[in-house]
Amino acid sequence: MADTVRINEVGPRDGLQSQGKTLSVEDRLAMIGHLVGVGIRNLEAGSFVSPKAVPQMAGTDRVFAALPSSDSVRYAGLIPNMKGYELALAAGARVMNVVLSVTETMNQKNIRMSLDQTAQVCEAIVRRGCDDGVEVQAYLAVAFECPFEGRVAPSVVRQFAEHMQAAGAAKIIIADTIGAANPAQVRQVLQEVSRVAPLEKVSCHFHDTRGMALANILASVDCGVREFDSSIGGLGGCPFSPGATGNVATEDVVLMLDSMGYQTGIDPLELVPVVREVEALTGMSLGGKSFRWLTQQWEKRNEGPGHGG
Amino acid sequence: MADTVRINEVGPRDGLQSQGKTLSVEDRLAMIGHLVGVGIRNLEAGSFVSPKAVPQMAGTDRVFAALPSSDSVRYAGLIPNMKGYELALAAGARVMNVVLSVTETMNQKNIRMSLDQTAQVCEAIVRRGCDDGVEVQAYLAVAFECPFEGRVAPSVVRQFAEHMQAAGAAKIIIADTIGAANPAQVRQVLQEVSRVAPLEKVSCHFHDTRGMALANILASVDCGVREFDSSIGGLGGCPFSPGATGNVATEDVVLMLDSMGYQTGIDPLELVPVVREVEALTGMSLGGKSFRWLTQQWEKRNEGPGHGG
């Protein structure tokens, strides 16, 4: 049971990107500093996209230039295309994420490209990364359900996982982009994917839209997956109902895995002040499902003898 | 996968009991009527305790006298002792619940009895039930962690499960009273319990204090458990943060099991208006983790063509 599970914090990119408020480069670096300070060792630090399209991510090159020491931390940058790759490379990114939605309509509606075109772009970037010594991680988005095409067959996910694996992807991330997965489906998809890629290099990205994210993570970890995306405080959900529809909260994932005996390198209670710092930076009310309980425990620990003054 | 899982709704007792507002007998019957109307077939309808101690449950005898047709519904009444048994019997209850906390301190602090004494009382009631043709269900409370004694050894839970099984309990319910269980511990406890009682007659009761209730239910259903307690809208949690620390919400449990292909006999979307009715009756803001999403889906279905005008 002393297995290690990696937590990949996506708050500074995926989380911030869907918020109304745009944080300065300095504030984003402060947020990253807090996360790294409590033991986060895998982190999506920004994206190299047009600042016109995504103003929240403007200045990602400056974020990368000023990141806290990266010897033990893997900082990833999201890139939409080869141009983004060049920008990320110039900014010193050594880990990059590409996104391949696995249905035709999602690609057409979302980025006005065909599924084939997107797959080719992603494959070319993965291959280029191999040449340059850059780790390119491939997200397979809407891997469980597409908002336009409905349920996705597990064999489709397997097919694209195989493409990305063959191209040399450093990691394959199965993403439940709209939070529609259930544990039975998670097992089916992972079983298919495991036929073409070892689950040690597979990660999962779950949203908590239907309240099942932790159950889906349990199903995945049972299958052998040892890395998960999460967002501090559930950042990235709907601003009117924090945590209700967005990314699963880092503190919830860490608490469950830690309780089960997995090593994450992160003390779940130490995430409490980080959530509060990120609340202050974003002006959002944050916190996963365990946050209330974690806060009580954290306060108890810090108000104990020797801390009271 | 077409397995059936029973949902035991505890809102009308466990849920209401911890609320400030005391509902009239008529309102409690209305609540029960709504629940039965959407397919709930197992339900804790009240408790036969002193109305001085628990005013919320006053008039449970009148609730039982006026319950909707019980041919297909199992209505249970909680009883604290043999006096409660007699009251419940006189009121026509055919299913009764006893609670045995499995640690010494919990019994001393909670009901001023020793663990031995409580076990003897429960055993006597179970045996009496067998004589009278009454099904007595035995709750093993604080089965994972006691607020006073900390973690409970799985072998202790097994020992009391064995006592209750030998006495003739109709069901053994493993209760995570303070919401401290994690999926790994759930598996350990259920493995121990399965040595002394078939898991078909074991049920589980989880709280969502640490956000892990659905993951714990997944672990239990994987082990072979086919009945779970839940409370409509998460009723019974903290009034300031609905669903955050209380019973797992019925709609969350039904949605997950239904999504996985289990038969519960309940359409998860039909729980949306029930949550709203119970909100109106209790004056509480309710709703589990999936409630926001379920509400959107329910509104979409009911605003579709043919419903609009």
Side-chain angles (χ1 to χ4, degrees):
Chain A
M1 284 296 283
D3 256 340
T4 294
V5 178
R6 286 179 300 279
I7 301 296
N8 181 50
E9 171 63 44
V10 301
R13 201 287 300 173
D14 192 352
L16 288 181
Q17 182 165 333
S18 57
Q19 300 307 305
K21 183 177 172 185
T22 296
L23 266 63
S24 68
V25 167
E26 291 66 33
D27 282 353
R28 280 144 67 193
L29 282 165
M31 177 175 169
I32 291 167
H34 291 305
L35 290 160
V36 171
V38 292
I40 298 279
R41 289 295 171 263
N42 295 274
L43 197 144
E44 196 179 35
S47 73
F48 295 90
V49 291
S50 154
K52 257 191 280 185
V54 188
Q56 294 95 334
M57 291 293 112
T60 291
D61 52 340
R62 288 186 286 131
V63 170
F64 269 77
L67 284 169
S69 165
S70 66
D71 291 351
S72 62
V73 188
R74 291 176 74 249
Y75 294 109
L78 183 77
I79 55 172
N81 48 35
M82 198 57 88
K83 187 184 166 196
Y85 178 93
E86 301 291 357
L87 291 172
L89 195 67
R94 308 309 297 165
V95 186
M96 302 188 204
N97 296 337
V98 292
V99 178
L100 169 54
S101 295
V102 300
T103 67
E104 185 63 45
T105 319
M106 189 69 182
N107 283 280
Q108 299 281 2
K109 297 258 185 187
N110 207 31
I111 54 174
R112 292 184 203 172
M113 280 167 65
S114 74
L115 174 51
D116 265 359
Q117 286 175 309
T118 313
Q120 281 167 24
V121 167
C122 289
E123 195 180 320
I125 293 174
V126 168
R127 291 191 188 282
R128 172 73 192 278
C130 291
D131 293 343
D132 293 343
V134 166
E135 292 185 68
V136 181
Q137 312 187 126
Y139 277 80
L140 301 183
V142 297
F144 297 92
E145 188 170 316
C146 168
F148 307 107
E149 297 189 18
R151 289 273 139 175
V152 173
S155 59
V156 168
V157 186
R158 182 194 70 217
Q159 177 195 331
F160 289 105
E162 192 168 17
H163 282 321
M164 293 299 117
Q165 166 73 358
K171 194 158 288 168
I172 293 161
I173 301 118
I174 313 295
D176 181 24
T177 312
I178 60 168
N182 68 68
Q185 198 191 7
V186 167
R187 288 172 181 148
Q188 288 160 9
V189 169
L190 290 174
Q191 194 177 8
E192 284 290 314
V193 169
S194 71
R195 292 170 55 190
V196 298
L199 290 186
E200 303 92 70
K201 67 181 287 185
V202 169
S203 172
C204 290
H205 175 106
F206 291 113
H207 281 224
D208 216 7
T209 317
R210 304 186 196 182
M212 283 178 234
L214 287 186
N216 289 333
I217 288 174
L218 176 64
S220 309
V221 88
D222 285 350
C223 288
V225 172
R226 289 295 179 270
E227 179 168 328
F228 296 96
D229 279 9
S230 62
S231 179
I232 187 75
L235 184 69
C238 168
F240 303 107
S241 180
T245 62
N247 293 295
V248 64
T250 302
E251 59 272 26
D252 288 347
V253 181
V254 171
L255 178 62
M256 183 175 81
L257 293 171
D258 184 79
S259 303
M260 292 179 73
Y262 289 102
Q263 305 289 325
T264 64
I266 305 160
D267 176 348
L269 293 194
E270 287 309 316
L271 292 169
V272 171
V274 181
V275 172
R276 288 175 172 174
E277 296 283 2
V278 177
E279 283 188 311
L281 287 166
T282 59
M284 299 277 302
S285 172
L286 299 173
K289 282 143 193 183
S290 62
F291 188 61
R292 190 189 166 85
W293 181 82
L294 282 175
T295 300
Q296 287 167 350
Q297 302 307 309
W298 184 82
E299 286 172 352
K300 209 178 286 175
R301 185 162 80 181
N302 287 284
E303 284 160 7
H307 289 88
Chain B
M1 284 295 284
D3 255 341
T4 294
V5 177
R6 285 179 301 277
I7 301 296
N8 181 49
E9 170 64 45
V10 302
R13 200 287 302 173
D14 192 351
L16 288 180
Q17 182 165 333
S18 57
Q19 300 308 305
K21 183 176 171 185
T22 295
L23 267 63
S24 67
V25 166
E26 290 67 33
D27 283 352
R28 281 145 66 194
L29 283 164
M31 177 176 170
I32 292 168
H34 291 304
L35 290 161
V36 171
V38 291
I40 298 279
R41 291 294 171 264
N42 294 274
L43 198 144
E44 195 179 37
S47 73
F48 295 91
V49 291
S50 154
K52 257 192 279 184
V54 188
Q56 294 94 335
M57 290 293 112
T60 291
D61 53 338
R62 286 185 287 130
V63 171
F64 269 79
L67 285 170
S69 165
S70 66
D71 291 350
S72 62
V73 187
R74 291 175 74 248
Y75 295 108
L78 182 78
I79 55 172
N81 47 35
M82 197 59 88
K83 187 183 165 195
Y85 179 94
E86 301 291 356
L87 292 171
L89 195 68
R94 308 308 296 164
V95 186
M96 301 187 204
N97 296 338
V98 293
V99 178
L100 170 54
S101 296
V102 300
T103 68
E104 185 63 44
T105 319
M106 188 69 183
N107 283 280
Q108 298 282 2
K109 297 259 185 188
N110 209 30
I111 54 174
R112 292 184 204 172
M113 279 166 66
S114 73
L115 175 50
D116 266 359
Q117 286 175 310
T118 314
Q120 280 168 25
V121 167
C122 290
E123 194 180 320
I125 293 174
V126 169
R127 290 192 188 283
R128 172 72 192 279
C130 291
D131 293 342
D132 293 344
V134 166
E135 292 185 68
V136 181
Q137 313 186 128
Y139 277 81
L140 302 183
V142 298
F144 298 92
E145 187 170 318
C146 167
F148 308 107
E149 298 188 18
R151 290 273 138 173
V152 173
S155 60
V156 168
V157 186
R158 183 195 69 217
Q159 176 194 332
F160 289 104
E162 191 168 17
H163 282 324
M164 291 301 117
Q165 165 74 358
K171 193 157 289 168
I172 294 160
I173 302 117
I174 314 295
D176 181 23
T177 313
I178 60 168
N182 68 68
Q185 197 190 9
V186 167
R187 287 171 182 150
Q188 289 160 7
V189 168
L190 289 175
Q191 193 177 9
E192 284 290 316
V193 169
S194 71
R195 293 169 55 190
V196 297
L199 290 186
E200 304 90 72
K201 68 182 286 186
V202 169
S203 172
C204 290
H205 175 106
F206 291 112
H207 281 224
D208 216 6
T209 317
R210 304 185 196 183
M212 284 179 233
L214 287 186
N216 288 334
I217 288 174
L218 176 64
S220 309
V221 88
D222 285 349
C223 288
V225 172
R226 289 295 178 269
E227 180 168 327
F228 296 97
D229 278 9
S230 63
S231 179
I232 186 76
L235 185 69
C238 168
F240 303 107
S241 179
T245 62
N247 292 295
V248 65
T250 302
E251 59 272 26
D252 288 347
V253 181
V254 171
L255 178 63
M256 182 174 83
L257 294 171
D258 184 77
S259 303
M260 293 180 72
Y262 290 102
Q263 305 289 324
T264 63
I266 304 161
D267 176 348
L269 293 193
E270 287 309 316
L271 291 169
V272 171
V274 181
V275 172
R276 289 175 171 174
E277 297 283 0
V278 177
E279 282 188 312
L281 287 166
T282 60
M284 299 278 300
S285 173
L286 299 173
K289 284 143 190 180
S290 63
F291 187 60
R292 189 187 165 86
W293 180 82
L294 282 174
T295 301
Q296 288 167 349
Q297 303 306 309
W298 183 83
E299 286 171 352
K300 209 178 287 177
R301 185 163 80 181
N302 287 283
E303 285 161 5
H307 289 88

mmCIF file with all atom_site columns, all heavy atoms in Angstrom, chain A residues 275-286:
data_model
loop_
_atom_site.group_PDB
_atom_site.id
_atom_site.type_symbol
_atom_site.label_atom_id
_atom_site.label_alt_id
_atom_site.label_comp_id
_atom_site.label_asym_id
_atom_site.label_entity_id
_atom_site.label_seq_id
_atom_site.pdbx_PDB_ins_code
_atom_site.Cartn_x
_atom_site.Cartn_y
_atom_site.Cartn_z
_atom_site.occupancy
_atom_site.B_iso_or_equiv
_atom_site.pdbx_formal_charge
_atom_site.auth_seq_id
_atom_site.auth_comp_id
_atom_site.auth_asym_id
_atom_site.auth_atom_id
_atom_site.pdbx_PDB_model_num
ATOM 1  N N   . VAL A 1 275 ? -5.371  26.867 -0.226 1.00 0.00 ? 275 VAL A N   1
ATOM 2  C CA  . VAL A 1 275 ? -6.705  27.199 -0.757 1.00 0.00 ? 275 VAL A CA  1
ATOM 3  C C   . VAL A 1 275 ? -7.047  28.643 -0.385 1.00 0.00 ? 275 VAL A C   1
ATOM 4  O O   . VAL A 1 275 ? -7.542  29.422 -1.219 1.00 0.00 ? 275 VAL A O   1
ATOM 5  C CB  . VAL A 1 275 ? -7.786  26.228 -0.219 1.00 0.00 ? 275 VAL A CB  1
ATOM 6  C CG1 . VAL A 1 275 ? -9.182  26.702 -0.608 1.00 0.00 ? 275 VAL A CG1 1
ATOM 7  C CG2 . VAL A 1 275 ? -7.552  24.814 -0.736 1.00 0.00 ? 275 VAL A CG2 1
ATOM 8  N N   . ARG A 1 276 ? -6.737  29.014 0.845  1.00 0.00 ? 276 ARG A N   1
ATOM 9  C CA  . ARG A 1 276 ? -7.067  30.379 1.286  1.00 0.00 ? 276 ARG A CA  1
ATOM 10 C C   . ARG A 1 276 ? -6.267  31.426 0.516  1.00 0.00 ? 276 ARG A C   1
ATOM 11 O O   . ARG A 1 276 ? -6.782  32.483 0.163  1.00 0.00 ? 276 ARG A O   1
ATOM 12 C CB  . ARG A 1 276 ? -6.811  30.513 2.787  1.00 0.00 ? 276 ARG A CB  1
ATOM 13 C CG  . ARG A 1 276 ? -7.858  29.757 3.598  1.00 0.00 ? 276 ARG A CG  1
ATOM 14 C CD  . ARG A 1 276 ? -7.527  29.798 5.081  1.00 0.00 ? 276 ARG A CD  1
ATOM 15 N NE  . ARG A 1 276 ? -8.600  29.235 5.888  1.00 0.00 ? 276 ARG A NE  1
ATOM 16 C CZ  . ARG A 1 276 ? -8.511  29.039 7.198  1.00 0.00 ? 276 ARG A CZ  1
ATOM 17 N NH1 . ARG A 1 276 ? -7.410  29.385 7.853  1.00 0.00 ? 276 ARG A NH1 1
ATOM 18 N NH2 . ARG A 1 276 ? -9.525  28.529 7.867  1.00 0.00 ? 276 ARG A NH2 1
ATOM 19 N N   . GLU A 1 277 ? -4.992  31.131 0.265  1.00 0.00 ? 277 GLU A N   1
ATOM 20 C CA  . GLU A 1 277 ? -4.163  32.061 -0.522 1.00 0.00 ? 277 GLU A CA  1
ATOM 21 C C   . GLU A 1 277 ? -4.748  32.213 -1.925 1.00 0.00 ? 277 GLU A C   1
ATOM 22 O O   . GLU A 1 277 ? -4.795  33.320 -2.472 1.00 0.00 ? 277 GLU A O   1
ATOM 23 C CB  . GLU A 1 277 ? -2.717  31.533 -0.638 1.00 0.00 ? 277 GLU A CB  1
ATOM 24 C CG  . GLU A 1 277 ? -1.959  31.432 0.671  1.00 0.00 ? 277 GLU A CG  1
ATOM 25 C CD  . GLU A 1 277 ? -1.449  32.779 1.184  1.00 0.00 ? 277 GLU A CD  1
ATOM 26 O OE1 . GLU A 1 277 ? -1.717  33.803 0.528  1.00 0.00 ? 277 GLU A OE1 1
ATOM 27 O OE2 . GLU A 1 277 ? -0.808  32.794 2.248  1.00 0.00 ? 277 GLU A OE2 1
ATOM 28 N N   . VAL A 1 278 ? -5.165  31.104 -2.505 1.00 0.00 ? 278 VAL A N   1
ATOM 29 C CA  . VAL A 1 278 ? -5.700  31.158 -3.871 1.00 0.00 ? 278 VAL A CA  1
ATOM 30 C C   . VAL A 1 278 ? -7.061  31.868 -3.877 1.00 0.00 ? 278 VAL A C   1
ATOM 31 O O   . VAL A 1 278 ? -7.397  32.588 -4.824 1.00 0.00 ? 278 VAL A O   1
ATOM 32 C CB  . VAL A 1 278 ? -5.766  29.754 -4.504 1.00 0.00 ? 278 VAL A CB  1
ATOM 33 C CG1 . VAL A 1 278 ? -6.381  29.802 -5.897 1.00 0.00 ? 278 VAL A CG1 1
ATOM 34 C CG2 . VAL A 1 278 ? -4.364  29.137 -4.568 1.00 0.00 ? 278 VAL A CG2 1
ATOM 35 N N   . GLU A 1 279 ? -7.818  31.704 -2.813 1.00 0.00 ? 279 GLU A N   1
ATOM 36 C CA  . GLU A 1 279 ? -9.062  32.482 -2.679 1.00 0.00 ? 279 GLU A CA  1
ATOM 37 C C   . GLU A 1 279 ? -8.751  33.978 -2.670 1.00 0.00 ? 279 GLU A C   1
ATOM 38 O O   . GLU A 1 279 ? -9.422  34.770 -3.332 1.00 0.00 ? 279 GLU A O   1
ATOM 39 C CB  . GLU A 1 279 ? -9.795  32.113 -1.383 1.00 0.00 ? 279 GLU A CB  1
ATOM 40 C CG  . GLU A 1 279 ? -10.531 30.786 -1.454 1.00 0.00 ? 279 GLU A CG  1
ATOM 41 C CD  . GLU A 1 279 ? -11.396 30.547 -0.214 1.00 0.00 ? 279 GLU A CD  1
ATOM 42 O OE1 . GLU A 1 279 ? -10.870 30.724 0.913  1.00 0.00 ? 279 GLU A OE1 1
ATOM 43 O OE2 . GLU A 1 279 ? -12.574 30.193 -0.375 1.00 0.00 ? 279 GLU A OE2 1
ATOM 44 N N   . ALA A 1 280 ? -7.717  34.347 -1.922 1.00 0.00 ? 280 ALA A N   1
ATOM 45 C CA  . ALA A 1 280 ? -7.357  35.764 -1.835 1.00 0.00 ? 280 ALA A CA  1
ATOM 46 C C   . ALA A 1 280 ? -6.905  36.289 -3.196 1.00 0.00 ? 280 ALA A C   1
ATOM 47 O O   . ALA A 1 280 ? -7.263  37.399 -3.599 1.00 0.00 ? 280 ALA A O   1
ATOM 48 C CB  . ALA A 1 280 ? -6.259  35.955 -0.786 1.00 0.00 ? 280 ALA A CB  1
ATOM 49 N N   . LEU A 1 281 ? -6.133  35.477 -3.909 1.00 0.00 ? 281 LEU A N   1
ATOM 50 C CA  . LEU A 1 281 ? -5.612  35.913 -5.210 1.00 0.00 ? 281 LEU A CA  1
ATOM 51 C C   . LEU A 1 281 ? -6.711  36.024 -6.261 1.00 0.00 ? 281 LEU A C   1
ATOM 52 O O   . LEU A 1 281 ? -6.707  36.938 -7.083 1.00 0.00 ? 281 LEU A O   1
ATOM 53 C CB  . LEU A 1 281 ? -4.535  34.927 -5.705 1.00 0.00 ? 281 LEU A CB  1
ATOM 54 C CG  . LEU A 1 281 ? -3.181  34.968 -4.988 1.00 0.00 ? 281 LEU A CG  1
ATOM 55 C CD1 . LEU A 1 281 ? -2.357  33.734 -5.340 1.00 0.00 ? 281 LEU A CD1 1
ATOM 56 C CD2 . LEU A 1 281 ? -2.430  36.246 -5.346 1.00 0.00 ? 281 LEU A CD2 1
ATOM 57 N N   . THR A 1 282 ? -7.643  35.080 -6.247 1.00 0.00 ? 282 THR A N   1
ATOM 58 C CA  . THR A 1 282 ? -8.657  35.030 -7.310 1.00 0.00 ? 282 THR A CA  1
ATOM 59 C C   . THR A 1 282 ? -9.941  35.760 -6.945 1.00 0.00 ? 282 THR A C   1
ATOM 60 O O   . THR A 1 282 ? -10.760 36.050 -7.815 1.00 0.00 ? 282 THR A O   1
ATOM 61 C CB  . THR A 1 282 ? -9.038  33.570 -7.639 1.00 0.00 ? 282 THR A CB  1
ATOM 62 O OG1 . THR A 1 282 ? -9.554  32.966 -6.438 1.00 0.00 ? 282 THR A OG1 1
ATOM 63 C CG2 . THR A 1 282 ? -7.842  32.782 -8.137 1.00 0.00 ? 282 THR A CG2 1
ATOM 64 N N   . GLY A 1 283 ? -10.138 36.015 -5.650 1.00 0.00 ? 283 GLY A N   1
ATOM 65 C CA  . GLY A 1 283 ? -11.406 36.591 -5.225 1.00 0.00 ? 283 GLY A CA  1
ATOM 66 C C   . GLY A 1 283 ? -12.558 35.613 -5.305 1.00 0.00 ? 283 GLY A C   1
ATOM 67 O O   . GLY A 1 283 ? -13.725 35.994 -5.254 1.00 0.00 ? 283 GLY A O   1
ATOM 68 N N   . MET A 1 284 ? -12.228 34.328 -5.436 1.00 0.00 ? 284 MET A N   1
ATOM 69 C CA  . MET A 1 284 ? -13.257 33.282 -5.522 1.00 0.00 ? 284 MET A CA  1
ATOM 70 C C   . MET A 1 284 ? -13.426 32.592 -4.171 1.00 0.00 ? 284 MET A C   1
ATOM 71 O O   . MET A 1 284 ? -12.474 32.481 -3.408 1.00 0.00 ? 284 MET A O   1
ATOM 72 C CB  . MET A 1 284 ? -12.815 32.203 -6.510 1.00 0.00 ? 284 MET A CB  1
ATOM 73 C CG  . MET A 1 284 ? -12.606 32.659 -7.915 1.00 0.00 ? 284 MET A CG  1
ATOM 74 S SD  . MET A 1 284 ? -14.172 32.689 -8.787 1.00 0.00 ? 284 MET A SD  1
ATOM 75 C CE  . MET A 1 284 ? -14.694 30.977 -8.601 1.00 0.00 ? 284 MET A CE  1
ATOM 76 N N   . SER A 1 285 ? -14.636 32.090 -3.937 1.00 0.00 ? 285 SER A N   1
ATOM 77 C CA  . SER A 1 285 ? -14.851 31.218 -2.790 1.00 0.00 ? 285 SER A CA  1
ATOM 78 C C   . SER A 1 285 ? -14.565 29.792 -3.246 1.00 0.00 ? 285 SER A C   1
ATOM 79 O O   . SER A 1 285 ? -15.232 29.284 -4.151 1.00 0.00 ? 285 SER A O   1
ATOM 80 C CB  . SER A 1 285 ? -16.296 31.366 -2.305 1.00 0.00 ? 285 SER A CB  1
ATOM 81 O OG  . SER A 1 285 ? -16.559 30.411 -1.323 1.00 0.00 ? 285 SER A OG  1
ATOM 82 N N   . LEU A 1 286 ? -13.581 29.177 -2.651 1.00 0.00 ? 286 LEU A N   1
ATOM 83 C CA  . LEU A 1 286 ? -13.124 27.862 -3.117 1.00 0.00 ? 286 LEU A CA  1
ATOM 84 C C   . LEU A 1 286 ? -13.232 26.807 -2.025 1.00 0.00 ? 286 LEU A C   1
ATOM 85 O O   . LEU A 1 286 ? -13.601 27.096 -0.891 1.00 0.00 ? 286 LEU A O   1
ATOM 86 C CB  . LEU A 1 286 ? -11.667 27.957 -3.586 1.00 0.00 ? 286 LEU A CB  1
ATOM 87 C CG  . LEU A 1 286 ? -11.385 28.900 -4.756 1.00 0.00 ? 286 LEU A CG  1
ATOM 88 C CD1 . LEU A 1 286 ? -9.892  29.019 -4.998 1.00 0.00 ? 286 LEU A CD1 1
ATOM 89 C CD2 . LEU A 1 286 ? -12.086 28.404 -6.019 1.00 0.00 ? 286 LEU A CD2 1
#
